Amino acid sequence: MNRFSRRKFLYTAGASAAGAVLLNACVGNPPEPGGEAATEQVKPVDLSPEMTPETTKVVLGYIPILESTALIIAQEKGFFAKYGMNEVQVSKQASWASARDNVIIGSEGGGIDGGQWQMPMPHLISEGIITNGNKLPMYLLAQLSTQGNGIATSGKNQGKGLGLDISSAADYVKGYAKSEGRKFKAAHTFPQVNQDFWIRYWFAAGGVDPDTDIDLLAVPSAETVQGMRNGTMDAFSTGDPWPYRIVTDEIGFMSALTGEIWKFHPEEYLAIRADWVDKNPKATKALLKGVMEAQQWIDDPANTEAVVAIVSGRNYLNVPPDIIRPPYQSNYKMGDGKPDIKDKMMGPLFWKDGIGSVSYPYKSHDLWFLTEGIRWGFHKGKIDDIDTAKQIIDRVNREDIWKEAATEAGFTADIPASTSRGVETFFDGKKFDPENPEAYLNSLEIKKV
Ligand code: CA
């Protein structure tokens, strides 16, 4: 079955559970969820020999959260196939740890060749830091999305000033051991990557040391949400669609969106094993072109309903469309008496944001992640200084391949002029100048370095 008829089949099978809908389907063509835009495939282009990929197959892992949208859309809309990659497998991973283990195995052993990653997982896997010393060189090829994450806090902590700036609530948080008989407890889904960085930044900016004043742990999402319901978990650093569910299910409120903490921050990335890319350079560029086209398609509000229909499907996120529509519309209920946020520039963006390219992998962003790792003493003895960080980035970040692919696809107007996005500013006024990361580290009050 091709993808088109599989979608038709799924629709019909779902409809047969409801008699009225089945009757409709017998009378005429039922409306497709998301309309024609959700099922229509783009046409393949005629490929010149120099653009014909070495292989049509690759296995790309993804985690069922909104950051995977570009991979799902590139597959379902035929953007990968358009450039000759017509045997791509987009493979759901049970967790970040599974994705890491599967990329070490590789597709030939039943694992994956690459896919979606939090940062700086590709750098840490390349250096053997999160793989028991097993160094697997990887190439970072594109950013998949910006923003779309947040800090959720349990309902138990309402009315205590746990918003974007928690400095007025710092004593309340630190006093938990006395008042509750345990420390304030917070979670992310994998240590030493994005979600851990966002919640650490937020706590530290408000005067709470995430290593000593609270308990901060890696906990699976479902378990965290259960803990927030029953009062044993206090905060959760997480991606869409969880922020929406936590507020609408009355489990808690949103303390901050990551777009408020750091506007247009780097989020998750596409990275593939270096051996696969080196062996298949044309196929790599074909995949990148597919991702780039998907990202542009997703950002077009005219396609939002189609994106919702495809991504919510049972073979992908497998959630009711109503749960993921608000995040794609950048429509956030915050709770705890705060006004809702309805701002396209505050939610997930895929191709362009208010500064420049989302898709292009700026080396200056890799440098922030590795600098922040130095701040928290994450990789002592392995990444201790900025020079080491820069050397790793030069090995892993392949923005040159992104630029080649963008040029071949005709997206030259969207190629940034520099590998640096320049000085980045956080909500608390701190600045990260990629030309002087030491000044940023010096400016921080709470750190381990
Ligand atoms: Ca994320």
Side-chain angles (χ1 to χ4, degrees), residues 149-163:
N149 287 251
I151 314 289
T153 304
S154 72
K156 178 182 170 182
N157 298 295
Q158 277 185 55
K160 304 294 183 187
L162 284 159

Side-chain angles (χ1 to χ4, degrees), residues 65 67 96 118 147-149 194-195 198 238-239 267-268:
I65 50 178
E67 287 91 331
W96 293 108
Q118 293 201 73
Q147 306 188 135
N149 287 251
N194 299 35
Q195 248 74 54
W198 306 144
T238 182
E267 187 50 30
E268 292 175 17

Side-chain angles (χ1 to χ4, degrees), residues 153-160 162 169-186 203 208 212-215 227-228 230-235 253:
T153 304
S154 72
K156 178 182 170 182
N157 298 295
Q158 277 185 55
K160 304 294 183 187
L162 284 159
D171 288 341
Y172 166 76
V173 171
K174 292 189 224 176
Y176 239 67
K178 260 191 190 150
S179 63
E180 302 290 324
R182 64 165 176 84
K183 283 184 178 177
F184 189 94
K185 198 169 167 190
F203 274 124
V208 173
T212 55
D213 293 333
I214 60 162
D215 282 330
M228 288 176 72
N230 66 27
T232 58
M233 179 69 77
D234 301 299
F253 59 93

Side-chain angles (χ1 to χ4, degrees), residues 41-64:
Q41 298 260 307
V42 297
K43 300 267 179 301
V45 290
D46 288 330
L47 296 167
S48 61
E50 58 270 22
M51 289 200 196
T52 302
E54 301 84 352
T55 176
T56 54
K57 286 183 190 170
V58 70
V59 183
L60 301 176
Y62 76 96
I63 298 287

